[in-house]
Amino acid sequence: TQQLLSIPASRPRPFRVCNWDRSMRKGIMAQSLSELLHQAQTALLTPDPISLVLDEDGTAVETESFFQTLEEGTVLMALSKGQTWAASKTPGYQL
Amino acid sequence: TQQLLSIPASRPRPFRVCNWDRSMRKGIMAQSLSELLHQAQTALLTPDPISLVLDEDGTAVETESFFQTLEEGTVLMALSKGQTWAASKTPGYQL
C-alpha cells in the first residue's frame, strides 16, 4: 500500500503573504517553500530575492520541513535584503 | 504489533528558536534536544555551544525527557556562555 503520510506535503496549499510594511497582502498557493518564495516574489513585484518570516512573530521560515508544518492560511511576510520584521501595531492582535 | 508510543518522540517536530536579544527567530525541526541544540547553533550562526531555555520564562531545558514534553511551536531562546535570559519587554504578548 501507498505511504499516505507523504501526500499532504505535496498538495498545493493556500498561504497569505504580505510585504514588509503590510501595505500589500496576497493569497498564494504553493506546495513547497521554494515555490512560495518564487510565487511571492512575483506576486509582490519584488525584483530581489526574498526571505519569508511568519507575520505573527517574525520566525524565519528557512527549511522545507518547517514550512510543511505550517497550517493552511498562515500569513507570512516577504522580506528583501535589508528589510526587517516588526510586530504589527494593531492592538489586540492575537491567535 | 508495532510499538506506536515511540513514534511521537522520534518524529521531527517544529520549534521556534530566538537568540538572546530576540533579534533573530528561526523555525527549526528537531526530534531530540541534542538535534535542536545542533540545528539552532547552525541556524543562529553561533560559533559557541549554546544552551536552550524557554523564551516564556527562562526555564532551562536540559534533559531529553523534559524536551519531549514541549509542545510543537514552543519558543526557545538559545544562550551562549555569559548570555542570560530576560523577560520580553513586549507588553501583552501572548500565544
Side-chain angles (χ1 to χ4, degrees):
Chain A
T1 58
Q2 290 269 320
Q3 171 57 274
L4 292 174
L5 287 175
S6 65
I7 289 180
S10 60
R11 178 173 54 86
R13 297 183 300 148
F15 295 93
R16 302 177 186 191
V17 182
C18 65
N19 62 345
W20 72 278
D21 64 357
R22 299 186 177 85
S23 61
M24 254 194 299
R25 184 184 287 229
K26 309 254 180 170
I28 299 176
M29 300 293 292
Q31 60 186 349
S32 67
L33 176 57
S34 60
E35 186 183 348
L36 188 60
L37 283 165
H38 180 75
Q39 303 277 24
Q41 198 182 331
T42 306
L44 297 171
L45 310 171
T46 320
D48 304 310
I50 54 166
S51 61
L52 290 169
V53 303
L54 298 182
D55 180 45
E56 179 188 334
D57 65 359
T59 300
V61 180
E62 298 181 337
T63 64
E64 288 288 352
S65 53
F66 186 82
F67 173 78
Q68 294 300 341
T69 70
L70 299 178
E71 288 185 29
E72 297 194 352
T74 296
V75 185
L76 297 110
M77 177 180 284
L79 298 175
S80 298
K81 196 172 164 71
Q83 296 178 343
T84 53
W85 175 88
S88 171
K89 293 199 180 64
T90 313
Y93 173 81
Q94 52 186 302
L95 290 184
Chain B
T1 59
Q2 291 268 319
Q3 171 56 276
L4 292 175
L5 286 175
S6 65
I7 289 178
S10 60
R11 179 174 54 87
R13 298 183 300 148
F15 295 94
R16 301 177 187 190
V17 182
C18 63
N19 61 346
W20 71 278
D21 65 357
R22 299 186 177 86
S23 61
M24 253 195 300
R25 184 184 287 229
K26 308 252 180 172
I28 298 176
M29 300 293 291
Q31 60 188 348
S32 66
L33 176 58
S34 61
E35 186 183 349
L36 188 60
L37 284 164
H38 180 75
Q39 302 276 24
Q41 198 183 330
T42 306
L44 296 171
L45 310 170
T46 320
D48 305 310
I50 54 166
S51 60
L52 290 168
V53 304
L54 298 183
D55 179 46
E56 183 186 333
D57 64 1
T59 300
V61 180
E62 297 180 338
T63 63
E64 288 288 351
S65 52
F66 185 82
F67 173 78
Q68 293 300 341
T69 70
L70 299 178
E71 289 185 28
E72 297 195 352
T74 296
V75 184
L76 297 110
M77 177 181 284
L79 298 175
S80 299
K81 197 173 162 72
Q83 296 177 343
T84 54
W85 176 89
S88 170
K89 292 198 182 65
T90 313
Y93 173 80
Q94 50 187 305
L95 289 183

